[in-house]
């Protein structure tokens, strides 16, 4: 099975800011599998709660964007807390 390409910044920011979408419709918009959406969303949830990257789920680009203090605030898809 071929490895999926790395996430782009655009795909990741779409995931962060389209909280109203479940995994399936978001996957169709950004061209990823619903399972990939679920895994990355879970990684974002753990990162915002514990400031750690569980098992390296999140790429360096994703962590950099999450750490960026100039980034617009968003809510966690899972717990709905702002971060």
């Amino acid at each position: 099975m071929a490895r999926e390409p790395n996430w782009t910044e655009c795909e990741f920011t779409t995931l962060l800011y389209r909280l109203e979408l479940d995994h399936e419709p978001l996957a169709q918009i950004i061209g990823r599998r619903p399972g990939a959406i679920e895994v990355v969303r879970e990684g974002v949830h753990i990162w915002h709660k514990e400031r750690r990257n569980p098992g390296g789920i999140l790429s360096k680009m994703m962590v950099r964007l999450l750490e960026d203090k100039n980034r617009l605030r968003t809510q966690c898809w899972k717990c709905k807390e702002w971060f």
Side-chain angles (χ1 to χ4, degrees):
M1 176 184 257
R3 182 179 176 278
E4 291 196 29
N6 293 336
W7 284 62
T8 66
E9 190 170 318
C10 183
E11 290 171 330
F12 186 61
T13 55
T14 301
L15 176 136
L16 289 177
Y17 297 111
R18 295 301 305 264
L19 302 175
E20 77 280 8
L21 298 175
D22 286 327
H23 304 325
E24 188 73 36
L26 183 58
Q28 291 175 355
I29 288 170
I30 64 175
R32 296 279 175 177
R33 293 177 298 109
I37 301 295
E38 184 176 9
V39 166
V40 172
R41 279 181 161 169
E42 183 63 23
V44 170
H45 170 70
I46 293 170
W47 185 89
H48 107 83
K49 296 298 273 186
E50 304 174 17
R51 293 297 191 255
R52 69 181 181 91
N53 185 5
I57 290 172
L58 304 174
S59 70
K60 289 179 183 178
M61 175 271 298
M62 292 173 178
V63 171
R64 178 182 49 80
L65 289 174
L66 292 170
E67 290 175 339
D68 182 0
K69 301 299 182 206
N70 295 317
R71 175 181 56 87
L72 295 174
R73 288 178 34 126
T74 189
Q75 285 180 289
C76 176
W77 183 86
K78 188 171 186 175
C79 67
K80 307 302 186 220
E81 290 180 16
W82 287 92
F83 69 100

